Amino acid sequence: MSTIVLVGNPNVGKSAVFGALTGTYAEISNFPGTTVEVFEGRLGDHWVIDTPGVYGLSGLNDEERVAGSVLPGADLVVNVVDSVNLARDLFLTLQLLGMGLRPVLFLNMSDELWARGMEIDAPGLSALLGLPVIQGAAVRGQGIKELTEGITSALEAGGSGSRPLGLAMRGQAPQGLTQAPSMAPDDYRALRTEADRIADRVLKGRGRSRPMAWWLGRASLNPWTGLPILAAVLWSVYYVLGDLVAQRLVDFTEKTVMEGLLVPLLAAGLYPLTGNDGLFHALLAGRYGLATMAVSYIFGLLLPLVAAFNLIMGLLEDSGYLPRVAVLSDRLLTWVGLNGRAVIPLILGLGCVTMATMTTRILGNRRERFIANFLLALTVPCSAQLGVMAAMLGPLGGEYVLAWGAGLMAVFLASGRMLERLLPGRPTPLLADLPPLRLPKTGNILSKAYRRSRWFLIEAGPLMALASLGVALADYLGWLARLEQNLGPFFEGWLRLPAGAAPAFLVGMLRRDFGAAGLYGLPLDPGQKLVAVFTMTLFVPCLASTMMVVKERGRVEGVFLWAAAMVTAVALGGMAARLVHWAGL
């Protein structure tokens, strides 16, 4: 079975080419030792691998190192190029040629180039490079038949010419990442000059007036117009995820479908095995059981959120707007040790911190992912939690809501700045390709959302099931009840809350919104409500988020983030209680 590897710059439509070649089915896996996703699919009897988008092969980041490790194991390389940015993308093509590879060149997005009154002399480019060159537009299905035929011909002729390693994703390569030597400045300039020269020779036509999408793209980068556009987009994203999905859709899927129909059916089916009491009942059908809490949580709560998130991310990616969000927010986030790309997980955390944790893998290095995960765990409340807290603080007046928001922002900035100063290293520069804004294709968005949501179920489902069994066992053995009794005096003394608040915080470890709801019915005065809401917001992330952090960052880092969030929340909560008392709230 032959292996075909797709390689290209970010935002050149590789995923559209991958989907057109392989259909909707794909396997997603993290490359060994990284959080970089690599997609695998089938084209007849061939494996097709979609590598992450890269600008070069000098090993400057995990994406480049992954591509550099996978490419030598390919029977054939397909280099996907954005026709509108030919000179830029040919830089990577020339690097592939320098590695001794003879890729098939697919000039994608040709329809956008033709719409501008320009075209590429494909036969001339083929003659200059000595490579098969095919033009098309993957999202429209143009050129895919010709690309498939070109792949078949190239494989019959001997493929790309070099495969000293087995395919990395099939488990035949070493677990480490290979790193190509950094390119000398003179070599970089020579390669860039050659790419520009070739592009000048094969590009034909004068071009037409700028389309409306070009002007809209410019407006989205100007701070005077871009920030209002960004605010509108982010509000729309939060409205869809935080209101329509996290509140209304999840209320239906979790309460009506899961708790009202499916969970009772599962419990009834398990009754002959578990009965109404005992260890098996607690583990499988109790209040924290596998068939009750885990199933309802995964399919009723998390899956609708993750699916909606993947649809929105696909829309922002394919429209070309996502890089512009990063550019506009880069300066502020650099101050807290991140760069503009971190705005995506931070905003999505307002919908669900679990799925936001997954997106921290888009950040440039381990240091930035640690900072982002810590800020998500500590300062970002999920939408379900926000709803309950708004109901508690809203009737008290705007000054209480303002005090809560200002406190969270102060903790966010102070924590991020402290980590920026203490952790070795610096934020990676924001290198964002700015593709033209375009109308995304529904089929491509649905295909990517399906693949990513399916991967989430495969990866997160077993973790949630394992966590559910652990909590159910602790509840059956009475550990949770004893913990509630022991924590009561502490809550009264340090946080100045009634002892009945302890169970709410313990339940908040499982689900933040359940913990917030537990506070709602307590007899609290306005000052106590402010302290309780502030502390609960900073409290440890929910069980699903914690398990996702453990999966993404490892057990040591996951436990550290969990413990650090708890200690920080309790310490700041006690300080807030004394400040509230001093202020007379």
Side-chain angles (χ1 to χ4, degrees):
M1 181 178 289
S2 301
T3 300
I4 303 162
V5 174
L6 305 183
V7 64
N9 284 197
N11 302 304
V12 297
K14 278 193 302 85
S15 61
V17 175
F18 177 84
L21 291 176
T22 64
T24 58
Y25 176 79
E27 297 179 16
I28 310 176
S29 50
N30 290 345
F31 195 88
T34 76
T35 57
V36 176
E37 288 181 354
V38 177
F39 290 79
E40 299 180 72
R42 294 284 291 273
L43 173 63
D45 294 331
H46 312 301
W47 279 105
V48 181
I49 312 297
D50 183 14
T51 59
V54 294
Y55 293 104
L57 297 170
S58 297
L60 298 178
N61 51 42
D62 277 355
E63 286 80 4
E64 291 191 6
R65 289 189 284 272
V66 167
S69 294
V70 173
L71 282 171
D75 294 289
L76 179 69
V77 175
V78 175
N79 182 198
V80 182
V81 169
D82 178 0
S83 299
V84 180
N85 294 291
L86 182 64
R88 181 203 67 186
D89 288 14
L90 285 178
F91 180 78
L92 179 60
T93 307
L94 295 177
Q95 290 185 72
L96 294 172
L97 291 171
M99 292 175 62
L101 300 172
R102 315 300 299 177
V104 173
L105 203 64
F106 183 67
L107 303 178
N108 197 24
M109 304 180 186
S110 295
D111 55 335
E112 295 185 11
L113 187 71
W114 298 332
R116 299 185 182 189
M118 303 179 71
E119 61 179 347
I120 295 173
D121 176 12
L125 181 60
S126 177
L128 286 172
L129 297 176
L131 303 174
V133 176
I134 300 162
Q135 297 187 85
V139 295
R140 300 179 182 274
Q142 299 173 358
I144 297 302
K145 179 181 177 182
E146 292 79 2
L147 176 60
T148 304
E149 295 172 349
I151 288 173
T152 301
S153 299
L155 288 172
E156 291 175 350
S160 297
S162 174
R163 60 187 314 269
L165 299 175
L167 176 64
M169 297 311 298
R170 299 260 64 83
Q172 301 171 20
Q175 292 294 303
L177 297 179
T178 61
Q179 180 172 343
S182 299
M183 187 178 297
D186 289 344
D187 294 335
Y188 175 89
R189 285 191 289 269
L191 216 57
R192 176 56 63 197
T193 300
E194 179 66 7
D196 293 340
R197 183 188 69 81
I198 295 173
D200 288 341
R201 290 188 61 178
V202 299
L203 272 173
K204 309 296 181 184
R206 286 178 164 269
R208 298 173 183 164
S209 60
R210 301 285 190 182
M212 179 59 68
W214 186 87
W215 294 106
L216 184 59
R218 293 272 299 212
S220 66
L221 289 173
N222 187 310
W224 291 103
T225 53
L227 289 177
I229 293 174
L230 174 62
V233 170
L234 294 181
W235 180 88
S236 300
V237 170
Y238 174 71
Y239 175 73
V240 172
L241 285 177
D243 187 8
L244 296 182
V245 177
Q247 299 295 329
R248 305 183 190 184
L249 179 59
V250 165
D251 184 70
F252 172 75
T253 57
E254 186 177 29
K255 294 182 179 177
T256 303
V257 176
M258 302 305 299
E259 296 178 3
L261 297 174
L262 185 58
V263 170
L265 288 176
L266 289 174
L270 290 170
Y271 178 78
L273 175 64
T274 64
N276 285 327
D277 200 3
L279 179 60
F280 281 116
H281 174 78
L283 294 179
L284 298 179
R287 59 174 176 168
Y288 303 123
L290 189 63
T292 49
M293 187 183 80
V295 171
S296 178
Y297 202 11
I298 294 171
F299 293 98
L301 173 68
L302 292 180
L303 184 57
L305 284 167
V306 169
F309 154 71
N310 286 330
L311 287 171
I312 291 174
M313 283 297 292
L315 178 65
L316 294 177
E317 287 173 352
D318 284 20
S319 68
Y321 183 70
L322 200 57
R324 290 165 169 81
V325 178
V327 170
L328 285 171
S329 56
D330 184 60
R331 180 171 295 181
L332 172 63
L333 292 177
T334 299
W335 195 79
V336 295
L338 302 169
N339 67 27
R341 299 173 77 180
V343 72
I344 302 302
L346 292 175
I347 292 296
L348 292 174
L350 295 173
C352 177
V353 176
T354 303
M355 64 181 180
T357 300
M358 291 194 305
T359 67
T360 58
R361 63 182 56 179
I362 69 175
L363 303 181
N365 56 40
R366 185 180 183 88
R367 176 181 184 267
E368 291 176 13
R369 290 190 285 271
F370 178 87
I371 294 175
N373 278 317
F374 183 81
L375 294 177
L376 282 170
L378 182 66
T379 64
V380 179
C382 67
S383 59
Q385 187 184 27
L386 277 172
V388 179
M389 293 179 171
M392 291 182 65
L393 293 181
L396 301 180
E399 65 272 20
Y400 285 87
V401 177
L402 182 62
W404 173 68
L408 285 185
M409 181 56 68
V411 174
F412 176 89
L413 294 175
S415 301
R417 191 60 178 170
M418 181 183 67
L419 291 174
E420 154 68 8
R421 292 295 185 91
L422 293 179
L423 295 178
R426 298 177 58 83
T428 57
L430 179 64
L431 301 175
D433 177 36
L434 295 177
L437 293 180
R438 57 176 67 94
L439 287 175
K441 299 301 177 181
T442 303
N444 194 39
I445 295 173
L446 292 176
S447 176
K448 287 198 290 188
Y450 167 77
R451 294 197 301 264
R452 290 169 176 172
S453 300
R454 177 178 173 272
W455 171 86
F456 172 82
L457 285 179
I458 294 173
E459 292 290 317
L463 293 175
M464 277 304 304
L466 182 62
S468 175
L469 291 174
V471 174
L473 180 61
D475 182 54
Y476 176 78
L477 296 175
W479 296 347
L480 294 183
R482 286 197 294 270
L483 194 57
E484 290 177 5
Q485 294 174 356
N486 294 331
L487 287 177
F490 173 79
F491 276 81
E492 290 179 321
W494 176 246
L495 295 177
R496 299 186 177 179
L497 298 176
F505 280 85
L506 288 177
V507 173
M509 296 181 183
L510 305 179
R511 286 191 48 175
R512 278 183 161 186
D513 55 325
F514 283 6
L519 296 174
Y520 190 78
L522 294 177
L524 304 175
D525 62 43
Q528 287 178 317
K529 285 186 178 181
L530 179 59
V531 172
V533 168
F534 177 72
T535 308
M536 180 64 77
T537 305
L538 299 179
F539 206 56
V540 295
C542 69
L543 183 61
S545 301
T546 301
M547 297 300 290
M548 187 56 66
V549 171
V550 169
K551 178 192 174 298
E552 293 288 314
R553 313 302 313 142
R555 288 190 298 272
V556 173
E557 193 166 309
V559 171
F560 174 81
L561 286 173
W562 187 88
M566 174 180 286
V567 171
T568 304
V570 172
L572 293 178
M575 295 170 61
R578 284 145 184 80
L579 182 61
V580 164
H581 178 74
W582 173 81
L585 296 177

